[in-house]
Amino acid sequence: MEHLIDIQGLKYRYQTAQQETLAISEFRVEKGESIFLYGPSGSGKTTLLEILAGILKPQKGVVKILGQDLSAKSETERDQFRGEHLGYIFQNFNLIPYLSVRENIELPIRLSARRRSRIDFGKLENIISDICDRLGILSVLDRRVTELSIGQQQRVAVARALVGQPDLILADEPTSSLDMDHREKFLNLLFDLCKQYGASLLFVSHDRSIQHMFSRTVFLSDINKITP
Ligand SMILES: Nc1ncnc2c1ncn2[C@@H]1O[C@H](COP(=O)(O)OP(=O)(O)OP(=O)(O)O)[C@@H](O)[C@H]1O
Ligand SMILES: [Mg+2]
């Protein structure tokens, strides 16, 4: 059976670091799961997401997504794979400041022909309107992202990750700036959108108050066995 994520024998060390940041002998995620990956600050959550996104390349191990071995791909191939299959909500959102909200959301579609081919391009306008309406950012579509509140920027980042129906959303603590009420609302919306667009979710956070909302919780320290 093909797993959504299948990690085996992974080791990652930053070039300047004395020791490994990640040593994961095995970690699997199946399609349709919503995973809460918990770990304290500095434990390697962002590092793991960047490896799964193919931004960082591990020194050892096999990292398969949808049966495809990222570790066997070149940087260009990994970029293409990310563009086609993944939606990444970055810890600091990574929105492009000189572009409008709409342009930011369209970016993954414009950059990846394969992602474009997953949707009916003539309907892009409708797809964006639908997602943004649900996220409550329809009225700011033509504003510069620098003119938005943090909460609004966060929702733009979600819209950008979802457009073009990726198979997997990697979310890096996108709720850290929200209060509890808004956090639960935001998460319910994210779950609904993932369901509607057929995406699985890997969500990392150091905030355990939201873990009950996910289908499975994984402690990074349980899968990451670095020996100091
Ligand atoms: N570019 C880098 N070069 C060297 N070390 C790094 C680099 N980026 C991160 N690290 C180190 O790797 C470890 C894991 O960092 P990472 O950003 O993955 O943690 P995190 O769990 O995402 O933390 P947070 O919850 O604060 O976002 C930390 O000790 C950090 O100092
Ligand atoms: Mg982080």
Side-chain angles (χ1 to χ4, degrees), residues 14 16-17 21 39-48 91 172-173 206:
Y14 284 102
T16 52
T21 296
S41 180
S43 60
K45 302 183 297 297
T46 298
T47 307
L48 178 57
Q91 192 160 18
D172 198 346
E173 309 212 42
H206 54 228

Side-chain angles (χ1 to χ4, degrees), residues 118-140:
R118 294 170 78 106
I119 60 163
D120 182 347
F121 200 59
K123 293 200 181 121
L124 181 59
E125 193 80 1
N126 291 342
I127 293 168
I128 290 180
S129 299
D130 171 57
I131 296 178
C132 291
D133 188 24
R134 309 234 5 228
L135 285 164
I137 49 172
L138 200 53
S139 61
V140 299

Side-chain angles (χ1 to χ4, degrees), residues 42-56:
S43 60
K45 302 183 297 297
T46 298
T47 307
L48 178 57
L49 288 192
E50 293 194 349
I51 289 170
L52 290 169
I55 297 166
L56 298 176

Side-chain angles (χ1 to χ4, degrees), residues 141-157:
L141 260 182
D142 293 305
R143 282 216 228 152
R144 290 252 198 133
V145 290
T146 46
E147 295 166 12
L148 303 185
S149 73
I150 297 290
Q152 286 170 327
Q153 290 182 36
Q154 178 178 59
R155 285 174 274 156
V156 175

